[in-house]
Amino acid sequence: MGELKALHPDDARQLGLGKVSERTLRRWAAAWAEHGIMGLADGRLTPVLRGHRKITAQITEAIHAVHAECLHRSRVGMKTKERMIHQFVREKFGTQAEKEIPHYTTLLKVWKEWFGPEGARQRYLRSSAAVETGGSTVTITRPGQVVVLDTTPFPVKLRDDVFGEPITVDLTLALDAFTHSLVAFRLTPGSDASIEVAMLLRDVMLPLPMRPGWTPDMEWHYPGVPAALVAEFAGHPVAGRPFFAPETVTSDHGSVYKNHHLVQVARTLGTVVLPARAMRPQDKAACERTFSGIQSLLLELLLGYRGIDVADRGIDPEGDAVWTVDEAEHLLAEWIVRIWQNRRLDQYAPAWDPGGRHSPNTLFAMAAARDGIALQIPDPTLYHHLLPAHFVKLHGRRGVKIGGLWYGGDHPVLGELGSLPSPRSGRHRGKWVVHGACGKPCRKVQDADPRQGHKPAGQWWCHGVCVAAWADSMAYRLLAKDRVADVGGRGWRGSGLIGPVTALDAPDLLVP
């Protein structure tokens, strides 16, 4: 109070402190502790909307009745809705009440305030109006509190890494809702699956390694934790991209986000899955806008760009495609670290400083300086825990059967467990849980041994033969030889790799 009394009255009046007492200062201090800077706002200067003086209860009833009728009918214009409002009031309340209906411009303004612009198609407006909207809101105050996931077709034709054919891939993004940082992404050939979403959430928790050709200005540079310390924890130099354990994950109602596997993954990570409201795209508006930003800033400049629809497509985008999946992934990762994380946020500036110059990196740095950074790097075995779980019975000689294929027939771990009864009860009584992404021709499986925890049950198994994983660099070199020698043709995805590998004489990869 002494400092306020020392101010000149005119200066105190310009600062809004001309009539501030000790009681007001105490009230501001309490509001600051509870609501932050918004607690200092004067509620008298921002009153709640009191409605329109000319909109009486009778006109309100007419507007809601016409709105319900217009949802049932085909799409009509606002002039027709105005005539219907006049007709409703005249038939129900008389001609005297009709004279109190305000002008068309007032009705149009009220209609947009109550029901929105209604720019969508009529069928979608009906579906949206039929869904109840939640009344609660989420205030995002820190990184990792809400991570938004979404998938869209990648608008650039890419070439397969092995055979060089043009293919279509899906782009899955993980966007931090507080800082608008792109904390993870995945390029999936064909359609995405729940295991891709699981590995995307794992990427959110892992630091991004520095790649060959990246400059020193792309390294970790956030305050509070030196880059050398982060590199020591991670085991490699870390790029300037935030990583954290997500608290809440928001997604749409796609099949890859609503299945038992993702529920298992969320339980393993300790994450809450909060689906967006049906027919409410504004719940993921930031992620949708990010897709548009990536397209306009980067993807439209690449050869093989397909346009937003068939009408805007070029003559031959497949022939123009020159980027492979690995090259596109490397380009997108470098663009995110170098450009996106340092790009100024205009319309997404924070509420506490709407006129300031902020980027995803500066917002994360501000949060790091305020709350600190939790260096929680998950254990490498988390990869196995996030694989889909299969409840199967063990066969003494043939191993386990998953997806119509037998795996690990002669593995000692499965052979030892096959003679023991399973301790599991309930729905999967007498069965063992096996984690693995199983499919043709071979996938990796891992058995959950209750005596030793999660213990690997072997390598990649296919008909009793251990081969290299599809993601292994040696496997890609073998497939490249397959393409050159024309062994196995282009049906390698379903025919299996055992025959081509044997014909190419690779004894170092085949273990009897």
Side-chain angles (χ1 to χ4, degrees), residues 213-215 217-218 240 333-343:
W214 287 11
T215 56
D217 62 306
M218 301 173 64
E334 182 177 0
W335 182 84
I336 289 174
V337 177
R338 184 188 298 273
I339 304 298
W340 179 268
Q341 291 297 122
N342 298 287
R343 185 170 179 266

Side-chain angles (χ1 to χ4, degrees), residues 125-136:
L125 291 177
R126 281 193 294 268
S127 302
S128 177
V131 178
E132 293 292 336
T133 59
S136 60

Side-chain angles (χ1 to χ4, degrees), residues 48-68 71 78 81 85 88-89 101-102 105-119 125 128-129 133 280 282:
V48 181
L49 294 178
R50 301 180 178 86
H52 295 267
R53 178 174 51 86
K54 295 184 179 181
I55 303 299
T56 61
Q58 299 174 347
I59 299 176
T60 300
E61 180 182 353
I63 292 176
H64 284 284
V66 171
H67 178 257
L71 290 177
M78 190 59 203
K81 296 174 184 176
I85 294 174
F88 184 91
V89 173
I101 298 177
T105 54
T106 303
L107 292 178
L108 177 61
K109 182 179 180 180
V110 172
W111 191 281
K112 289 185 176 181
E113 287 181 1
W114 290 1
F115 310 116
E118 295 186 337
L125 291 177
S128 177
T133 59
R280 295 296 186 274
Q282 57 267 29

Side-chain angles (χ1 to χ4, degrees), residues 290-461:
T290 301
F291 281 129
S292 301
I294 296 175
Q295 176 177 309
S296 60
L297 296 174
L298 175 64
L299 302 182
E300 290 183 358
L301 305 175
L302 304 181
L303 292 175
Y305 177 68
R306 300 184 299 164
I308 59 176
D309 55 20
V310 180
D312 294 334
R313 188 163 300 173
I315 298 177
D316 186 17
E318 290 82 2
D320 296 338
V322 295
W323 294 86
T324 64
V325 178
D326 284 347
E327 292 173 348
E329 191 274 339
H330 182 82
L331 173 67
L332 190 55
E334 182 177 0
W335 182 84
I336 289 174
V337 177
R338 184 188 298 273
I339 304 298
W340 179 268
Q341 291 297 122
N342 298 287
R343 185 170 179 266
R344 180 185 176 185
L345 299 173
D346 291 331
Q347 64 269 36
Y348 291 114
W352 43 268
D353 189 14
R357 299 178 62 89
H358 294 280
S359 66
N361 274 345
T362 59
L363 291 179
F364 185 77
M366 180 274 302
R370 181 191 62 187
D371 304 326
I373 299 177
L375 288 180
Q376 298 179 353
I377 300 177
D379 191 82
T381 58
L382 178 65
Y383 169 81
H384 303 287
H385 292 277
L386 298 183
L387 295 175
H390 305 271
F391 297 92
V392 296
K393 290 187 176 182
L394 301 183
H395 193 277
R397 295 178 302 171
R398 307 180 68 179
V400 295
K401 186 178 182 180
I402 302 176
L405 298 177
W406 291 94
Y407 301 91
D410 56 350
H411 198 277
V413 176
L414 295 181
E416 184 180 354
L417 293 178
S419 60
L420 300 176
S422 174
R424 187 175 300 275
S425 60
R427 177 183 176 187
H428 301 288
R429 181 182 182 86
K431 296 182 179 180
W432 298 88
V433 58
V434 175
H435 294 267
C438 300
K440 294 181 179 181
C442 54
R443 288 294 185 268
K444 191 170 186 176
V445 296
Q446 180 190 31
D447 182 73
D449 189 346
R451 302 168 300 172
Q452 302 180 6
H454 290 266
K455 180 178 180 181
Q459 301 298 320
W460 295 68
W461 292 89

Side-chain angles (χ1 to χ4, degrees), residues 96-337:
Q96 187 63 30
E98 184 184 5
K99 298 180 180 179
E100 300 179 1
I101 298 177
H103 189 259
Y104 166 81
T105 54
T106 303
L107 292 178
L108 177 61
K109 182 179 180 180
V110 172
W111 191 281
K112 289 185 176 181
E113 287 181 1
W114 290 1
F115 310 116
E118 295 186 337
R121 297 291 187 180
Q122 189 70 5
R123 58 182 299 184
Y124 301 130
L125 291 177
R126 281 193 294 268
S127 302
S128 177
V131 178
E132 293 292 336
T133 59
S136 60
T137 58
V138 178
T139 303
I140 305 173
T141 59
R142 59 189 178 275
Q145 182 179 359
V146 177
V147 175
V148 186
L149 305 182
D150 202 2
T151 303
T152 188
F154 197 61
V156 177
K157 275 286 185 178
L158 303 179
R159 292 196 174 273
D160 185 78
D161 292 313
V162 178
F163 297 103
E165 295 181 350
I167 59 174
T168 302
V169 300
D170 285 344
L171 173 62
T172 305
L173 289 182
L175 178 75
D176 178 44
F178 179 77
T179 63
H180 289 266
S181 298
L182 287 173
V183 290
F185 74 94
R186 284 264 169 170
L187 290 177
T188 308
S191 59
D192 57 343
S194 60
I195 189 173
E196 298 291 342
V197 180
M199 296 306 155
L200 181 76
L201 294 177
R202 176 174 171 267
D203 293 342
V204 175
M205 305 173 63
L206 292 175
L208 180 65
M210 289 288 291
R211 302 189 181 186
W214 287 11
T215 56
D217 62 306
M218 301 173 64
E219 291 188 20
W220 178 275
H221 53 269
Y222 301 112
V225 181
L229 180 61
V230 180
E232 181 180 355
F233 273 87
H236 53 76
V238 178
R241 191 210 66 181
F243 66 94
F244 40 71
E247 303 176 18
T248 304
V249 173
T250 299
S251 63
D252 56 18
H253 295 262
S255 59
V256 296
Y257 301 108
K258 296 180 63 177
N259 51 62
H260 295 287
H261 180 213
L262 194 61
V263 174
Q264 168 198 340
V265 170
R267 188 181 299 112
T268 302
L269 298 179
T271 301
V272 178
V273 178
L274 181 63
R277 297 174 296 174
M279 304 303 297
R280 295 296 186 274
Q282 57 267 29
D283 289 354
K284 300 188 293 79
C287 196
E288 301 289 351
R289 184 65 185 88
T290 301
F291 281 129
S292 301
I294 296 175
Q295 176 177 309
S296 60
L297 296 174
L298 175 64
L299 302 182
E300 290 183 358
L301 305 175
L302 304 181
L303 292 175
Y305 177 68
R306 300 184 299 164
I308 59 176
D309 55 20
V310 180
D312 294 334
R313 188 163 300 173
I315 298 177
D316 186 17
E318 290 82 2
D320 296 338
V322 295
W323 294 86
T324 64
V325 178
D326 284 347
E327 292 173 348
E329 191 274 339
H330 182 82
L331 173 67
L332 190 55
E334 182 177 0
W335 182 84
I336 289 174
V337 177

